[in-house]
Amino acid sequence: MALVLHVDGDRWRAHLRGTVERQPGLVPVIKGNGYGLGLHRLARRAQWLGVDTVAVGTHHELPELHQRFDGDLLVLSPWRPFQPTPEELEIDPARVVHTVGRLQDLEALDEQGRTAGRPVRVVLERLTSMLRHGLPAVDVRDALRVVGDGRGVRLEGVALHLPLPVTRPTLLTKPSHVPEVERILSDPQLADLARFGERATQVWVSHLTESELEILALKFPGARFRPRVGTGLWLGDRGALRVTGTVLDAHPVERGDTYGYRGRSAPRRGTLLVVSGGTSHGIGLEAPTGEATLKARAASIARGGLDAAGFVRSPYSVGGKQRLFAEPPHMQVSMLFIPHGAPVPVVGQELDVRVRYTATAFDRVEIS
Ligand SMILES: *Cc1c(COP(=O)(O)O)cnc(C)c1O
């Protein structure tokens, strides 16, 4: 009676190990809904992988992790003065590495560290073509001046958050992130980060491919690249993952029978299938099926097509085919329409469901 994420344990763990071995210095990203697997589970898995650091999205996620993973905790979201301190979250501040993207925030942390008599660990984020967070080039000199003697803040490197890897270059997209990284790291201000200690030579990067990382490692032998990887690690081998919902009920209907919250009438003979998984799990309406042109719609109406009746594709598959929602998903279940003639699964049968893992709340995660 549930939406379940099934994980082929051996295959998944082999993929995790392989990914970490291929990308030395990899930092697992553990944030949000834990990529569908849960923050707590990923934290324990990171411990098992033996990495020295994990990255969380926001400081709110630290309490879920810090007792399950015992290394460093990098917070990806840049520090702001209005967020709680590690002490307030009852987390050892010596384990937390803050990302800093504004000069005034760096100054505030420097002040905090000096007052506490213990430097705050920071990574300086440089603004990239993402234009999300980070210091613009003109602020780098002042930022390094604030870092200064390292008494208030201890520099743990520079961070670059890049757009997603380019899979299909167009005239408007760059085929590789290498030139952008090169341009940022060639800033003479960043040439000698080693003067702030060995850890300051770390370059925390996101969304670089393995080959881009190899090229950059050759171009910048003095830098230690730390790829921050979430999707490619936890969800990188989709073949190890399978999502199912369960058939809970099945009702034969004739054309014209009414059903559902909205009293719709069945456009043709078939079966209404009630399956587990609804809006509370993140099951949403997918793109409408069929063509949008008037002519195509008219043809579809003539055929008695379900798309003409306004039915929308669901993420559930029956008999290898993605089926249509009979109406928008309910909170915990969804109603599908199986046209007459197609095989009708029995109550209790599991159906494959296509979901966005990062936006789905599973009832259960089963790792074999
Ligand atoms: C979420 C995030 C990542 C990980 O992204 P994936 O696409 O899941 O690998 C890396 N860096 C930053 C700054 C992020 O916010």
Side-chain angles (χ1 to χ4, degrees), residues 29 31 35 57 76-77 125 132 160-161 164 205-207 228-233 358:
V29 173
K31 68 181 180 186
Y35 292 84
L76 294 172
S77 170
E125 178 160 13
R132 190 161 85 176
L160 306 175
H161 185 38
L164 293 174
V205 289
S206 308
H207 298 143
R228 303 174 294 186
V229 188
T231 307
L233 179 67
T358 51

Side-chain angles (χ1 to χ4, degrees), residues 32-151:
N33 69 344
Y35 292 84
L37 292 138
L39 296 173
H40 59 291
R41 191 172 279 112
L42 298 189
R44 282 197 302 266
R45 198 45 60 191
Q47 182 73 28
W48 171 83
L49 280 168
V51 295
D52 64 359
T53 307
V54 298
V56 295
T58 74
H59 56 274
H60 295 290
E61 293 159 338
L62 290 171
E64 275 276 314
L65 269 78
H66 77 120
Q67 288 173 332
R68 298 179 170 100
F69 172 77
D70 63 18
D72 286 344
L73 304 160
L74 171 71
V75 185
L76 294 172
S77 170
W79 185 87
R80 291 289 181 264
F82 41 80
Q83 74 184 45
T85 63
E87 289 90 338
E88 281 164 351
L89 296 168
E90 299 184 13
I91 291 166
D92 177 5
R95 290 178 59 198
V96 179
V97 181
H98 298 284
T99 300
V100 181
R102 302 187 308 169
L103 212 44
Q104 68 258 47
D105 293 335
L106 187 64
E107 284 161 353
L109 283 172
D110 180 60
E111 178 76 35
Q112 261 188 28
R114 285 175 196 278
T115 309
R118 181 192 53 228
V120 178
R121 301 172 67 185
V122 297
V123 165
L124 292 184
E125 178 160 13
R126 268 288 278 108
L127 195 62
T128 67
S129 58
M130 277 280 291
L131 287 189
R132 190 161 85 176
H133 299 298
L135 294 164
V138 293
D139 284 347
V140 172
R141 177 193 299 264
D142 286 339
L144 294 177
R145 193 178 297 136
V146 175
V147 172
D149 60 11
R151 290 229 191 112

Side-chain angles (χ1 to χ4, degrees), residues 34-324:
Y35 292 84
L37 292 138
L39 296 173
H40 59 291
R41 191 172 279 112
L42 298 189
R44 282 197 302 266
R45 198 45 60 191
Q47 182 73 28
W48 171 83
L49 280 168
V51 295
D52 64 359
T53 307
V54 298
V56 295
T58 74
H59 56 274
H60 295 290
E61 293 159 338
L62 290 171
E64 275 276 314
L65 269 78
H66 77 120
Q67 288 173 332
R68 298 179 170 100
F69 172 77
D70 63 18
D72 286 344
L73 304 160
L74 171 71
V75 185
L76 294 172
S77 170
W79 185 87
R80 291 289 181 264
F82 41 80
Q83 74 184 45
T85 63
E87 289 90 338
E88 281 164 351
L89 296 168
E90 299 184 13
I91 291 166
D92 177 5
R95 290 178 59 198
V96 179
V97 181
H98 298 284
T99 300
V100 181
R102 302 187 308 169
L103 212 44
Q104 68 258 47
D105 293 335
L106 187 64
E107 284 161 353
L109 283 172
D110 180 60
E111 178 76 35
Q112 261 188 28
R114 285 175 196 278
T115 309
R118 181 192 53 228
V120 178
R121 301 172 67 185
V122 297
V123 165
L124 292 184
E125 178 160 13
R126 268 288 278 108
L127 195 62
T128 67
S129 58
M130 277 280 291
L131 287 189
R132 190 161 85 176
H133 299 298
L135 294 164
V138 293
D139 284 347
V140 172
R141 177 193 299 264
D142 286 339
L144 294 177
R145 193 178 297 136
V146 175
V147 172
D149 60 11
R151 290 229 191 112
V153 285
R154 193 173 96 192
L155 188 61
E156 302 264 346
V158 177
L160 306 175
H161 185 38
L162 295 150
L164 293 174
V166 182
T167 46
R168 281 190 309 157
T170 68
L171 282 177
L172 294 176
T173 53
K174 310 255 177 356
S176 159
H177 295 322
V178 170
E180 178 169 10
V181 177
E182 251 191 295
R183 195 173 61 248
I184 292 173
L185 295 184
S186 300
D187 180 342
Q189 296 294 324
L190 300 178
D192 181 27
L193 288 175
R195 69 188 186 277
F196 298 103
E198 199 198 329
R199 299 189 62 89
T201 63
Q202 297 177 102
V203 180
W204 309 78
V205 289
S206 308
H207 298 143
L208 291 177
T209 63
E210 286 172 23
S211 59
E212 286 174 330
L213 280 163
E214 278 171 26
I215 295 170
L216 287 164
L218 290 174
K219 286 185 190 267
F220 296 95
R224 182 174 175 226
F225 286 92
R226 305 295 314 262
R228 303 174 294 186
V229 188
T231 307
L233 179 67
W234 308 119
L235 304 175
D237 182 2
R238 293 297 160 103
L241 311 171
R242 185 173 162 237
V243 178
T244 62
T246 307
V247 177
L248 303 174
D249 235 325
H251 308 291
V253 286
E254 295 296 330
R255 178 185 159 93
D257 283 355
T258 44
Y259 67 87
Y261 277 134
R262 290 143 212 258
R264 288 182 84 155
S265 56
R268 52 192 275 202
R269 190 170 174 210
T271 304
L272 289 173
L273 214 58
V274 185
V275 297
S276 55
T279 54
S280 71
H281 301 93
I283 297 290
L285 289 172
E286 300 222 327
T289 58
E291 297 135 302
T293 65
L294 268 181
K295 198 172 156 203
R297 257 180 98 73
S300 178
I301 288 165
R303 282 199 317 270
L306 293 169
D307 49 346
F311 279 24
V312 163
R313 200 193 347 252
S314 86
Y316 294 83
S317 293
V318 178
K321 206 172 153 198
Q322 240 173 297
R323 296 297 166 177
L324 302 175

